[in-house]
Amino acid sequence: MGKEDGLELLFAIVVDNLVIGDRADPAKLGRLVTKGRIRIDSSQKRVVGNLVGSIRIGNLAGDKVEEVEIVLLIKRVHGGLIYHILSAILKLMWWQNNRKRELSERALRVRRRILEMVYRAGEGHFGGPLSVTDILVVLRFGEVFDWGRDEWLMSAGHLAPAVYGVLIEEGKLKEEEVAEFGRLGARVQGHLSRETPGVTYGAGLLGQGLSVGLGMALGDPSRQVIVVTTDGEHQEGQTWEAISLAAKYRVGNLINIVDRNRMQIDGSTEEVMPLGDLGQKYLVWGWRVFEADGHDLGDLRKKMELARRESDVPVAIIAKTIMGKGIREIEDNYHYHDIKGMTERQYKKWQEELR
Amino acid sequence: MKQKTETGSMRKALAETLVELAGRDDKIWVVDADLKSSLGLSEFAQKFPNRFVEAGVAENNAMGVAAGLARTGKIVFVGSYACFSPAINWAVIKQSVVYNQIGGVKIIGSHAGLLTGYQGSSHQMLEDVALMRAIPEMEVFAPVDAVETKKIVRAMTYSRKPGYIRVVRPETPIWTKKRDRWIIGRPTKIQNGRDITVVGYGPVLAGAMAAQTELTLGRKKTSLEIIGVGTIKPLELEMIVKSVSKTGRLLVVEDHQKNGGLGEWLAASLMLRKIKFDFRHLGIRDRFGQSGRDPWELYEVYSIGRRAILDTIKKWTK
């Protein structure tokens, strides 16, 4: 950085009736409120600063914008300054929020499909698919990985409804197939089947997927292999065998995203078979660890990006999630790990919530 | 009547064939579970270090990793004692390998059967054929001798299905000829005969050969038609059907539990084809193994050796 003028500018910009993007949707008009602290380095004609702000659009709750560093070339020191700052902020926030909004909408659609599948089938795994949804949406649509080259697999086969929800999003399965879940002859089998388009690993027994992902990563070091596991799955000893071997061979292209919702069939994980600080355990085993808010799309994306960049050792992302996320009534309740005989009343009520 | 004094090691034959194939084909990898010297895989590890994965005492993970490697186009031999793999990791084989259609995984079950010897019951796998036959699509091989072992390893490497091969610890007699072609599915005629069809896999057939020697010295010139089934699944039945139709008598001998072994299945298959035959079955009768310094003596103790075969035949042809 060059010589500083030492001029600090504290500002607040409030703009009403902001139109975001090309489509002027009256329901989406909102307020942009942002404040920050910037330094003006006029010798280099640059403005550098940190901005933290929030944007409220329509009825959606405010999205937090991450701290970003914006470097602008300013044409005029004073007159156009505010304008340029504002347009840079808007561009960045629009991009981030548009993407995040898009991801958010996808996640909502996936959750609706999960509800649909489990209701129509009369039974199914429920809480887990709901808790892993955001992870899968960011993984597949967050533009972190190169899906022409990288590979992923879901190790927990019972999270199939979430995977199918995402595969429909990807266009590999048809929307109508939500009515077929678990039916004879359906592509959407009760647990993941290798025969289903887009399913990369036919799973059902827990604890094996990380081994398989490790083998894939060893076999082709040029691509990333992302395995999605559940915390409960870590009670299977084979998981730790794989963790050990991955550390031994420093498999830097392997990433394990853990759906840490702290629940399993018979109760909370910490009551049934305590896992404790999973992240710490991975660290001791020789992995690199990131912790993420498993329902904050921006945070998930950031941590996946960081994981992708780590190439020396395998990476675990411990994603803090809530079982049943999205349907308040069942959140954090292990009794909804799976559900049988969902009533029409429950279905309609929960449908409303996922709107 | 063949007098076979030449012996060979199946383990060595397997390991040598792997090294030979791997020298020509860099798709071939090995995953080991802390038994590389015992399985004769040290040479492979030394010559192809970038294609050798040492998983330690972790058979479940070893199998899963083999499956993952095979998905990237490798042909992966994953080896251990049969009492560990497939015994411990059977479910990983079923799901991660076979259910996921991974044809490139080839499983070595070494030290199979009673011949493991002094190490005792825990190391004498008597149920592996039952376990592996039961998995859909899995090919199951049990070479008769070291010569056949080489042919089987070559064939299974390039088969599109996942495969299991059972080999034993000690050196065993050789009866098959190097020049004979071996095909997946086709059993091997070791000796022609008129009176009794003896079918078996692995070195139990030594007992049948020895029994034949003794029979020809007696007054009754009972001649045995001996068929070695190196390919338990798939198995084409034509040769056996033809033989049993001729002799009317089938004796199956196996170093394996009778439950779930070859004998039950073979007898049922012949019955389904409406073949009329008399059946005898020598195998492990629902019990565990035990230590013994002379592995061949164990065969006698468990009634699958020369003595039991002779007794059975003598009573049969009275």
Side-chain angles (χ1 to χ4, degrees):
Chain A
M1 309 288 167
K3 216 165 51 119
E4 289 167 24
D5 273 29
L7 178 68
E8 257 189 28
L9 188 68
L10 288 165
F11 65 93
I13 303 165
V14 178
V15 179
D16 278 300
N17 296 325
L18 185 69
V19 174
I20 304 291
D22 293 333
R23 298 156 295 173
D25 183 353
K28 296 212 162 131
L29 299 180
R31 301 180 87 214
L32 164 65
V33 179
T34 191
K35 46 188 173 215
R37 188 183 289 265
I38 56 169
R39 271 184 300 109
I40 298 173
D41 179 1
S42 58
S43 68
Q44 301 234 353
K45 295 199 178 354
R46 284 200 305 177
V47 176
V48 184
N50 284 333
L51 293 141
V52 175
S54 70
I55 182 165
R56 199 170 281 133
I57 304 172
N59 292 321
L60 290 179
D63 275 340
K64 242 212 309 263
V65 178
E66 293 163 17
E67 286 196 7
V68 294
E69 198 169 299
I70 297 179
V71 178
L72 303 170
L73 269 175
I74 52 169
K75 294 192 169 113
R76 273 149 54 183
V77 177
H78 297 293
L81 184 63
I82 302 298
Y83 171 78
H84 282 296
I85 294 169
L86 183 61
S87 64
I89 296 167
L90 285 180
K91 272 202 198 104
L92 205 65
M93 289 173 78
W94 175 83
W95 186 90
Q96 286 191 352
N97 286 297
N98 208 48
R99 273 287 175 272
K100 258 202 263 183
R101 189 159 29 108
E102 181 196 303
L103 291 178
S104 189
E105 282 168 5
R106 288 190 193 274
L108 198 62
R109 284 198 292 270
V110 172
R111 287 192 163 92
R112 285 206 288 262
R113 288 175 193 130
I114 292 168
L115 175 67
E116 197 68 29
M117 271 183 252
V118 171
Y119 174 62
R120 300 237 168 262
E123 58 182 324
H125 291 92
F126 201 32
L130 289 170
S131 72
V132 84
T133 292
D134 296 316
I135 292 168
L136 296 184
V137 167
V138 176
L139 176 67
R140 296 295 288 166
F141 295 101
E143 297 178 318
V144 175
F145 298 101
D146 174 2
W147 293 120
R149 178 203 63 189
D150 299 332
E151 295 264 7
W152 82 284
L153 68 92
M154 166 59 77
S155 179
H158 66 282
L159 300 184
V163 175
Y164 297 149
V166 170
L167 289 176
I168 293 171
E169 233 10 67
E170 292 181 22
K172 296 196 170 92
L173 291 175
K174 299 205 255 331
E175 198 72 57
E176 305 84 77
E177 292 185 79
V178 292
E180 299 293 309
F181 182 56
R183 200 179 266 173
L184 179 65
R187 297 197 296 186
V188 286
Q189 295 272 295
H191 285 72
L192 294 173
S193 160
R194 192 71 196 283
E195 307 240 314
T196 306
V199 171
T200 53
Y201 175 64
L205 275 64
L206 295 171
Q208 298 186 18
L210 190 58
S211 299
V212 177
L214 169 56
M216 288 164 67
L218 277 171
D220 189 351
S222 75
R223 59 186 182 193
Q224 300 282 329
V225 177
I226 301 96
V227 179
V228 180
T229 58
T230 65
D231 51 0
E233 202 171 356
H234 287 67
Q235 291 166 2
E236 284 284 355
Q238 185 178 346
T239 310
W240 298 95
E241 293 176 16
I243 292 169
S244 304
L245 196 67
K248 172 188 172 187
Y249 285 122
R250 298 179 69 84
V251 186
N253 56 327
L254 177 67
I255 297 170
N256 179 14
I257 306 176
V258 184
D259 177 7
R260 182 78 170 114
N261 62 21
R262 302 189 152 256
M263 292 293 165
Q264 53 191 107
I265 297 178
D266 281 344
S268 91
T269 55
E270 306 315 292
E271 278 169 7
V272 175
M273 181 59 244
L275 294 164
D277 188 338
L278 257 186
Q280 185 63 32
K281 289 181 176 174
Y282 269 94
L283 276 176
V284 171
W285 245 265
W287 285 45
R288 182 126 186 242
V289 179
F290 297 107
E291 289 182 332
D293 178 342
H295 300 301
D296 179 334
L297 303 174
D299 194 30
L300 281 170
R301 190 182 181 280
K302 184 168 161 191
K303 301 299 160 61
M304 287 187 206
E305 179 62 41
L306 288 169
R308 186 186 69 82
R309 291 183 198 184
E310 172 61 67
S311 57
D312 282 338
V313 290
V315 177
I317 300 174
I318 314 292
K320 199 165 157 209
T321 55
I322 296 170
M323 178 169 272
K325 175 75 178 174
I327 296 172
R328 260 166 313 209
E329 194 182 326
I330 69 164
E331 280 181 9
D332 218 25
N333 186 344
Y334 66 87
H335 289 107
Y336 290 95
H337 176 279
D338 45 283
I339 190 169
K340 203 161 180 171
M342 188 190 302
T343 64
E344 194 182 341
R345 202 159 147 269
Q346 285 173 312
Y347 169 64
K348 287 207 185 313
K349 183 168 167 211
W350 295 340
Q351 240 186 351
E352 267 312 299
E353 230 185 296
L354 294 175
R355 207 154 275 297
Chain B
M1 187 190 5
K2 296 174 183 139
Q3 288 287 348
K4 294 289 173 191
T5 51
E6 196 191 341
T7 62
S9 162
M10 287 187 192
R11 288 187 283 152
K12 213 153 151 258
L14 191 158
E16 281 168 0
T17 312
L18 273 186
V19 168
E20 186 197 317
L21 291 172
R24 292 199 295 264
D25 188 345
D26 64 4
K27 291 197 300 293
I28 296 175
W29 282 53
V30 165
V31 177
D32 176 60
D34 198 32
L35 284 171
K36 72 168 187 275
S37 53
S38 197
L39 265 55
L41 297 171
S42 303
E43 193 192 347
F44 189 104
Q46 190 225 355
K47 287 204 164 111
F48 312 107
N50 296 329
R51 293 194 248 148
F52 182 83
V53 176
E54 176 57 80
V57 187
E59 294 79 11
N60 286 323
N61 185 48
M63 191 58 66
V65 166
L69 281 168
R71 285 168 69 127
T72 67
K74 321 282 187 260
I75 301 169
V76 187
F77 279 80
V78 46
S80 180
Y81 291 177
C83 59
F84 307 137
S85 167
I88 295 173
N89 54 18
W90 187 85
V92 183
I93 296 170
K94 181 182 170 189
Q95 173 171 295
S96 288
V97 176
V98 189
Y99 184 56
N100 274 272
Q101 302 162 6
I102 314 294
V105 172
K106 315 294 174 183
I107 302 160
I108 303 169
S110 184
H111 291 53
L114 285 172
L115 292 181
T116 311
Y118 91 96
Q119 292 189 69
S121 173
S122 60
H123 284 55
Q124 290 163 324
M125 187 63 179
L126 307 171
E127 301 81 12
D128 52 326
V129 170
L131 284 177
M132 298 309 274
R133 273 185 53 225
I135 304 180
E137 301 293 306
M138 174 65 65
E139 298 187 324
V140 180
F141 306 111
V144 166
D145 58 23
V147 165
E148 194 164 84
T149 302
K150 285 186 173 269
K151 298 172 191 168
I152 292 179
V153 171
R154 263 187 215 106
M156 71 189 278
T157 299
Y158 295 106
S159 165
R160 295 179 76 220
K161 298 203 170 164
Y164 170 69
I165 178 170
R166 164 191 237 237
V167 294
V168 302
R169 182 174 181 245
E171 291 209 355
T172 62
I174 291 174
W175 306 288
T176 62
K177 295 192 209 67
K178 280 200 182 81
R179 64 169 183 269
D180 288 343
R181 214 170 138 223
W182 191 89
I183 301 169
I184 292 178
R186 204 154 297 171
T188 307
K189 179 80 69 68
I190 293 175
Q191 171 177 292
N192 284 304
R194 276 184 329 267
D195 303 306
I196 299 174
T197 304
V198 181
V199 176
Y201 53 91
V204 277
L205 290 172
M209 300 298 295
Q212 176 68 82
T213 308
E214 284 209 31
L215 285 166
T216 45
L217 297 174
R219 283 195 299 129
K220 284 224 163 124
K221 301 254 187 252
T222 315
S223 84
L224 307 175
E225 181 142 290
I226 302 178
I227 296 174
V229 177
T231 168
I232 295 173
K233 183 179 162 199
L235 174 55
E236 294 163 11
L237 288 172
E238 280 70 44
M239 185 193 289
I240 297 173
V241 166
K242 197 164 162 213
S243 176
V244 177
S245 303
K246 174 176 74 177
T247 64
R249 292 190 184 106
L250 173 66
L251 166 62
V252 176
V253 191
E254 53 190 321
D255 181 1
H256 188 277
Q257 299 287 353
K258 282 178 146 192
N259 293 331
L262 177 68
E264 297 176 336
W265 176 79
L266 200 47
S269 302
L270 292 175
M271 285 173 71
L272 282 170
R273 282 167 168 74
K274 302 210 190 310
I275 313 290
K276 296 269 184 293
F277 67 104
D278 210 14
F279 180 56
R280 300 284 185 275
H281 188 192
L282 292 174
I284 312 297
R285 276 194 233 119
D286 207 30
R287 54 191 284 220
F288 290 108
Q290 61 184 286
S291 285
R293 296 216 183 137
D294 176 357
W296 303 101
E297 191 189 353
L298 282 167
Y299 270 8
E300 302 303 335
V301 167
Y302 281 77
S303 305
I304 57 173
R306 178 196 55 101
R307 215 161 36 230
I309 294 172
L310 254 180
D311 286 347
T312 305
I313 292 170
K314 280 188 180 155
K315 281 199 203 114
W316 214 348
T317 56
K318 248 211 288 268

